[in-house]
Amino acid sequence: MGFLGRRWWIFDWFSHFRVQSFFLSALIGLIYIIGKNRWMTALMVVLALFNAGLILPLYSMPPHHQSGEPVYRILLANVLKENPNHAVLSNLIAESDPDFVMLIEVNQAWLDDLNLSALGYEHFIAETREDNFGIALYSRYDLVNSEIQRFGQLDTPSIVAHLKIDQQPVVFILSHPVPPKTKWMTLQRSIQMTDLMTYAGELDEIVLAAGDFNATSWSPYYKDWLQLSQLRDSRKGFGIQPTWPTDNWLLRVPIDHILVSPEINVQYRAVGPDIGSDHFPLIMDFSLSD
């Protein structure tokens, strides 16, 4: 069903559980081996190999990086608006010392409590909201130009920020489309992400697009987004790195993403600790090619 996500929106849900499908196919195959059912064993092996073929490329070796390159750190977190553990995230930011902090599902109370300007983040752009679509970007580097944009057909904000890193023009894009809970919401998610990725692909600058995209990299729509944007998945070489949900490791999938232009060298990428949200944060170090 996961391969038929374009046929019916519910089938797209099953595309996200490739790891679970691999282990389930392997387990059922083992049972059929014990039962000496050759045809069902062969079917389970084929299914397991299909899923393994989608998972293993994420573990391919990342490109070699030259030492001496300036390295920058991003922290991306879907904080969960009603999460009261503001101090936990504040401590994580202070300890991990990122150059850029990208926040999703923030309201004004979250930003007031974090008080990131006191930690040296003098440059920021935000649209706080009382629903689940507040968004904020904090930077230790000057934002040359930044704005809130609306991609797609809904009034959900995305951040587009232009800045210079190592004297090179870079564009940060932060977005959070609606979750695909219904056919209509699935359509709206895909329209927003298609518009956003088309926009990213038309930019001349180096691009870094991040957010809770409410889809994994195994969704057929995700592949379209990569082609439109000319960006690559920063997870490649670092593994699956699932981020949601935090309370059920059996169903955990990677729906928080950082996509990067070829000029961005990903030096380090990891899932952060539990901050009380239903998402784990992401921490990524990167440098720029000359």
Side-chain angles (χ1 to χ4, degrees), residues 193 197 201 213 217 220-234 257-260:
M193 291 303 300
M197 293 302 174
F213 294 163
S217 57
Y221 300 104
Y222 187 92
K223 297 173 184 177
D224 294 341
W225 303 339
L226 289 183
Q227 290 178 353
L228 288 170
S229 65
Q230 308 282 319
L231 303 177
R232 61 185 175 87
D233 193 336
S234 63
H257 299 276
I258 304 175
L259 308 182
V260 296

Side-chain angles (χ1 to χ4, degrees), residues 4-17:
L4 301 175
R6 296 185 192 277
R7 299 285 184 179
W8 190 32
W9 66 277
I10 289 181
F11 284 164
D12 187 43
W13 290 354
F14 294 91
S15 70
H16 308 318
F17 299 98

Side-chain angles (χ1 to χ4, degrees), residues 64-70 72 165-170 206 261-265 267 286-290:
H64 175 71
H65 306 303
Q66 295 181 352
S67 60
E69 295 176 337
Y72 306 90
I165 303 176
D166 287 349
Q167 302 303 312
Q168 299 191 66
V170 180
I206 298 169
S261 291
E263 297 88 352
I264 294 179
N265 301 318
Q267 307 264 10
F286 70 94
S287 61
L288 298 181
S289 298
D290 238 347

Side-chain angles (χ1 to χ4, degrees), residues 18-177:
R18 291 299 175 195
V19 177
Q20 292 85 345
S21 297
F22 168 77
F23 283 107
L24 188 59
S25 300
L27 177 60
I28 295 174
L30 180 60
I31 293 172
Y32 280 124
I33 289 174
I34 296 172
K36 298 182 180 180
N37 187 324
R38 294 180 180 179
W39 289 109
M40 291 305 296
T41 297
L43 175 60
M44 291 301 108
V45 169
V46 169
L47 291 176
L49 290 175
F50 264 126
N51 287 292
L54 297 172
I55 296 167
L56 290 177
L58 295 174
Y59 290 90
S60 62
M61 291 298 292
H64 175 71
H65 306 303
Q66 295 181 352
S67 60
E69 295 176 337
V71 177
Y72 306 90
R73 173 166 290 183
I74 285 177
L75 186 147
L76 169 67
N78 183 324
V79 303
L80 186 65
K81 179 178 65 68
E82 58 268 26
N83 172 17
N85 301 310
H86 299 185
V88 177
L89 178 58
S90 181
N91 291 336
L92 175 62
I93 293 171
E95 292 170 4
S96 58
D97 194 29
D99 299 284
F100 308 96
V101 179
M102 296 179 164
L103 303 175
I104 296 168
E105 291 197 24
V106 288
N107 57 12
Q108 193 57 49
W110 259 102
L111 300 190
D112 291 343
D113 286 351
L114 290 177
N115 191 20
L116 292 183
S117 60
L119 295 178
Y121 299 96
E122 299 178 359
H123 312 281
F124 73 95
I125 178 173
E127 180 174 310
T128 57
R129 295 167 59 126
E130 292 305 320
D131 57 15
N132 292 330
F133 298 98
I135 200 165
L137 167 64
Y138 284 80
S139 171
R140 285 186 168 150
Y141 296 85
D142 184 28
L143 301 179
V144 177
N145 181 31
S146 59
E147 59 183 335
I148 299 292
Q149 290 199 25
R150 263 75 178 173
F151 297 100
Q153 299 175 344
L154 302 181
D155 187 38
T156 52
S158 297
I159 289 175
V160 177
H162 297 254
L163 61 157
K164 281 198 172 183
I165 303 176
D166 287 349
Q167 302 303 312
Q168 299 191 66
V170 180
V171 179
F172 282 1
I173 301 174
L174 180 62
S175 193
H176 182 207

Side-chain angles (χ1 to χ4, degrees), residues 203-259:
L203 293 171
D204 293 328
E205 298 92 336
I206 298 169
V207 177
L208 185 150
D212 171 5
F213 294 163
N214 277 309
T216 67
S217 57
W218 302 301
S219 169
Y221 300 104
Y222 187 92
K223 297 173 184 177
D224 294 341
W225 303 339
L226 289 183
Q227 290 178 353
L228 288 170
S229 65
Q230 308 282 319
L231 303 177
R232 61 185 175 87
D233 193 336
S234 63
R235 283 189 303 147
K236 196 163 187 181
F238 297 93
I240 300 163
Q241 299 194 344
T243 54
W244 177 90
T246 57
D247 60 353
N248 191 331
W249 63 271
L250 283 174
L251 297 178
R252 197 168 295 162
V253 292
I255 63 174
D256 298 280
H257 299 276
I258 304 175
L259 308 182

